[in-house]
Amino acid sequence: MAEDTGDKSENRNRSTEEAALSARLQSLGERLAHQKGADRKVEAGPSSRSDPSALARGFRLSTELVAGVLVGAFIGWALDKWLGISPWGMIVFLLIGFAAGVINVMRAAGVSTGPGPRPQ
Amino acid sequence: MADPIHQFEITKIATLGHIGGHEIAFTNSALFMAITVVGIWALLMGGSTRRALVPGRLQSIAELSYEFVANTIESTAGKEGMKFFPLVFTLFMFILVANIIGLIPYTFTVTSHIIITAALALLVFITVLVYGFYKNGLGFFRLFVPQGIPIYILPLIVFIEVLSFLSRPISHSVRLFANMLAGHITLKVFASFITLLGGLGIFGIFGATLPLILVVALTALELLVAFLQAYVFAILTCIYLNDAIHPGH
């Protein structure tokens, strides 16, 4: 019996020790994660400058808006010719084309990632 | 002053035959396309024949280009995108090598003609359409119907999405063509300033150093643009293919 209680108290001792150890581990892990996050933030500065995809994104912006407007204008012109509703097709589709161009630019710039709900 | 547009002129080298009254000619553009393809072939074959554990220069270039394109595809289109690796790699290498060959004086820049870039962009566009419908069936149309949009403005949004989709091959092709064309014209114009100013005597020669410095800087910039445009073309191909693979996202 005495042996048993001794065992128990030892168990309790061990469990409190383990709890303390795991708490320390957790806090260490948190601090490490924090430090890593800070490191990554520091790294992100210079590496993003030499990142080819950032430059590529800049080059994408140059034509996206124009392309949307051009396609809108062409569809509007073709509809006007085909249905004889000049100038309404041109007016409507130029505006829609402009909107499509703006969406293209926003997507290219990464403001809006694409159709669907906004990612968090 | 030298005509800055002259460098883009297509000249006939040989006549291959006639189809339907149209002459099929082997032009300087075709010649440089062939040079580009042979150059890529030589580079990749030369890089992969030795198969050394520690790669030499050629093998390094071949391995680097492979890994670069593979990483680009995986990061934008995921694992499933890798089945399009041959297409994207071919496009990337063709555009990159054609752009860089075009920077060598007296050569012809294949990618400065919109017919070439439009053909490449349409190839991608049609691949996306065919694969999208093949893989998703009519579910491919989900691409045009964003989620979480109120029903009363949905028709308008669908129109905008369709137009945005249709504008892709245009921006895809015009970007490459316009960058190459503008870059080469700028180089030519500044280079002709050197000879113009150099002919004005001693002060002209001093003045000519300014455009000379600019031409050196512009050549470096054009080298960057040559690589970046090939990269942009490849990454956009991946993004568009990603839409065909996962239209709902």
Side-chain angles (χ1 to χ4, degrees), chain A residues 51-53 55-57 59-64 67-68 70-72 75 93 96-97 99-100 103-104 107 115-117, chain B residues 68 143 146-147 156 159-161 163-164 166-167 170-171 174-175 179 224-225 227-229 231-232 236 239-240 249:
Chain A
D51 185 10
S53 64
L55 270 168
R57 203 183 279 164
F59 268 108
R60 275 190 69 186
L61 294 177
S62 54
T63 50
E64 295 285 2
L70 274 183
V71 171
I75 292 179
F93 275 90
I96 293 180
I103 282 185
N104 281 346
R107 276 184 195 150
Chain B
F68 182 73
L143 188 64
Q147 292 150 10
L156 187 65
F159 262 115
I160 292 174
E161 288 289 343
L163 245 78
S164 161
L166 289 179
S167 74
I170 294 182
S171 64
V174 167
R175 183 182 308 106
N179 270 292
L224 176 76
V225 168
F227 168 73
L228 265 182
Q229 288 304 318
Y231 176 62
V232 169
L236 279 176
I239 291 173
Y240 297 161
H249 298 267

Side-chain angles (χ1 to χ4, degrees), chain B residues 10 45 63 72 81 113 115 148 154 172 188 202 211 213 219 231:
Chain B
I10 287 185
M45 289 308 276
E63 283 178 5
T72 306
H113 278 266
I115 186 68
L154 196 59
H172 206 181
K188 193 81 168 188
I202 188 74
I213 294 166
T219 309
Y231 176 62

